[in-house]
Amino acid sequence: MFPAISDYQKIGIGLTGFGVAFLFLGVLLFFDKGLLAMGNILFLAGLGFVIGLERTFRFFFQRHKLRGSGCFFGGILVVLLGWPVVGMCVESYGFFILFSGFFPVVINFIRRIPVIGNILNLPGIRTVVNKLSESPSMV
């Protein structure tokens, strides 16, 4: 039915989860640079374990994604150098550019969830969600 998940993918899911948790705590605790740096490193390591190193490099270094990748990795570098607020802003911009092709798929999936779908259909929120879900292509 479902393909089996390898042990490396299980480790990657754990690393990615811890990375997201560290990033959330780092932002919650007033941009603590230690937590943000650990979160970034764990997130990237987990991504490499989940989809493999070759596919990770191919994803980040496609010609049309170089600007997003540069901002994402530049933001990580700025966080590691000690400017967490600026680094997270640059990193967030890069994350948005990199993963903007996936937003329509995610939004259409979330619209089908009973309670959250009703919230997304409220008049003020609907216009913003419709703008986000109108992406030209998911490449």
Side-chain angles (χ1 to χ4, degrees):
M1 186 185 314
F2 293 111
I5 297 176
S6 71
D7 289 339
Y8 287 117
Q9 289 174 327
K10 291 176 186 176
I11 292 169
I13 291 169
L15 288 173
T16 304
F18 277 117
V20 170
F22 273 73
L23 285 170
F24 177 72
L25 284 174
V27 171
L28 194 66
L29 296 173
F30 302 113
F31 293 96
D32 181 49
K33 59 185 169 186
L35 290 173
L36 292 175
M38 285 298 298
N40 285 325
I41 292 169
L42 289 173
F43 178 78
L44 289 175
L47 190 63
F49 271 95
V50 170
I51 65 174
L53 288 177
E54 182 182 346
R55 290 178 67 191
T56 302
F57 284 122
R58 270 194 279 155
F59 174 77
F60 280 112
F61 298 114
Q62 294 175 8
R63 182 175 297 276
H64 63 281
K65 292 186 179 182
L66 284 178
R67 182 178 59 165
S69 297
C71 288
F72 185 73
F73 290 120
I76 291 174
L77 181 67
V78 171
V79 167
L80 291 174
L81 291 176
W83 292 35
V85 177
V86 174
M88 285 304 293
C89 290
V90 173
E91 186 179 339
S92 298
Y93 175 73
F95 184 84
F96 182 77
I97 296 296
L98 278 173
F99 295 101
S100 62
F102 297 111
F103 289 152
V105 175
V106 171
I107 289 173
N108 287 328
F109 174 76
I110 291 174
R111 281 183 173 164
R112 293 187 178 122
I113 298 173
V115 175
I116 299 172
N118 292 337
I119 293 171
L120 291 180
N121 284 328
L122 291 174
I125 299 173
R126 183 184 320 160
T127 57
V128 174
V129 170
N130 286 340
K131 288 283 187 188
L132 285 175
S133 65
E134 294 174 359
S135 178
S137 67
M138 191 180 83
V139 178

